[in-house]
Amino acid sequence: GKRTDGLGNWGRWGSDDEAGAANLLTPDSIRLAAGLVRTGKVYPLGMPVQKSGVPVHPIRTPAQHFMSMDGGDYAAGVRLNGSYAAADDYLFTACHGGTHVDALAHSWYDDHLYNGHPANRVRSYGATRCGIENCPFLVGRGVLLDVAALHGLPHLPRQHVIGPGDLEAAAARAGVAVGRGDIVLIRT
């Protein structure tokens, strides 16, 4: 269960670790990141939950939103307690459709999850190793590496493979250095 290609962080935080590089997000790195705030401008990274206009793999159904109770129900005569009324709805979506953070159990290498945990620990009822609960927060200095702009494109072609050279060149182009505990956002 040990990677032999020299890549990754397997074993870096002990053989039982299930958080990976999230271990670098410490109170000190968060304090440092908070000290860098100058304008308070927020850059939202989420995407709206909708049926179209969001990237969804062809094997997945786009998000489905259903109202189980709405204003039309009350207009047709539904009454709850006294003058109380409420709308209610359901959202059905693939966990890997739209904006999300992958757990380390999402993919594996040679039948092993991150850090050598057995891949068979990911079952139909969920992941018993390397689940997203092991990454309770992502707070730190954000670094944008705009790989699409590096290549003079509005977005990368589907077949483009981003390699270390792309990331290094995008960082140099932006005049930034990625540091310990930084959270890298790669614009494709």
Side-chain angles (χ1 to χ4, degrees), residues 143-163:
V143 177
L144 172 66
L145 299 182
D146 193 341
V147 177
L150 173 71
H151 293 285
L153 300 169
H155 58 83
L156 295 176
R158 183 173 291 210
Q159 68 276 10
H160 185 96
V161 176
I162 297 173

Side-chain angles (χ1 to χ4, degrees), residues 9 13-14 16-25 103-104 114-115 117 129-136 138:
N9 286 311
W13 293 282
D16 291 334
D17 180 58
E18 297 180 55
N23 284 297
L24 296 172
L25 301 173
L104 291 174
Y114 160 76
N115 218 20
H117 294 286
R129 290 288 183 269
C130 298
I132 197 65
E133 71 277 3
N134 295 294
C135 182
L138 292 174

Side-chain angles (χ1 to χ4, degrees), residues 9-10 17 33 45 54 62 73 76 95 119 131 134 150 158 166 169-170 172 178:
N9 286 311
W10 290 24
D17 180 58
L45 301 179
V54 292
D73 295 307
C95 292
N134 295 294
L150 173 71
R158 183 173 291 210
D166 283 321
V178 177

